[in-house]
Amino acid sequence: MWYLQAESPDGEEVAGCQVRDYRPGDEEGWLALLQANGELGVWDRERIDGVLAATHVQLFVEYGEQIVACTGVNDRVRDVGACWEIGWVAVHPAFQGRGIAKLITGAAVARAAELGSRPIYLLTDDFRVPALRCYLKLGFVPDGSHPSYPGRWREIFAGLGAEYPQSLPEFVAPGGKL
């Protein structure tokens, strides 16, 4: 999905939550979050260290002293050239549904924009419907570059509900109707 808006998304506060940058010593809390989330594969300390080494900016949301959400801004190259990738967005299951994913993803987009003018994108899975809803609300648009994408996005939009047709890209449904 691509973020094509001229401005970063509006940052809404979430009671008791604070967005902050990575600090040495965060690895165990980060690992505990990713393991609890369970949607992004199997995580261990080696994988955390590898992601951290490749990440330009790592952000967390803290609630009290617990890391409850994470994402990173990564320096990548795609067909369009140098880009910023928003990667590994995860929210602890006990904190989902509170707007925390929107908070941290919006903060990552804002940080990427501060780093320099480049296209901003993120990758996600079809089954992560709450995440897809969040990304669409933030202003991300589906990528239509692969032949499988129109059909996959058609199925996704059919299951999202009535509030999402305004996000329906032309490659999914010419004329804007499913």
Side-chain angles (χ1 to χ4, degrees):
M1 298 182 77
W2 293 92
Y3 190 80
L4 304 176
Q5 308 295 319
E7 302 291 323
S8 297
D10 292 333
E12 295 180 24
E13 291 188 28
V14 177
C17 292
Q18 174 183 333
V19 178
R20 67 165 178 83
D21 286 358
Y22 162 84
R23 295 188 296 246
D26 283 337
E27 295 83 1
E28 292 306 316
W30 184 10
L31 179 58
L33 161 66
L34 289 165
Q35 289 174 336
N37 175 272
E39 291 184 349
L40 301 175
V42 176
W43 288 84
D44 57 20
R45 184 59 191 267
E46 183 178 340
R47 188 169 181 199
I48 288 282
D49 292 342
V51 168
L52 186 58
T55 299
H56 197 80
V57 174
Q58 181 63 44
L59 298 173
F60 296 110
V61 171
E62 271 187 335
Y63 182 83
E65 293 187 23
Q66 181 181 358
I67 294 173
V68 299
C70 66
T71 193
V73 178
N74 305 301
D75 188 4
R76 301 282 192 248
V77 176
R78 301 279 303 240
D79 293 345
V80 298
C83 299
W84 298 116
E85 176 195 30
I86 309 302
W88 305 116
V89 180
V91 177
H92 192 286
F95 291 85
Q96 292 175 356
R98 300 182 190 188
I100 294 172
K102 187 175 179 184
L103 173 68
I104 196 161
T105 305
V109 169
R111 183 65 70 83
E114 291 171 4
L115 291 171
S117 181
R118 294 183 181 183
I120 299 170
Y121 74 97
L122 58 78
L123 303 173
T124 191
D125 296 300
D126 297 7
F127 69 87
R128 298 186 74 210
V129 175
L132 292 166
R133 285 187 173 117
C134 171
Y135 304 147
L136 289 166
K137 285 180 181 178
L138 283 168
F140 281 88
V141 296
D143 178 357
S145 64
H146 189 274
S148 71
Y149 290 174
R152 290 167 64 187
W153 279 107
R154 196 172 298 111
E155 286 182 31
I156 290 166
F157 274 97
L160 288 179
E163 65 189 273
Y164 293 92
Q166 75 278 7
S167 304
L168 194 64
E170 188 71 21
F171 78 86
V172 172
K177 302 217 186 245
L178 286 177

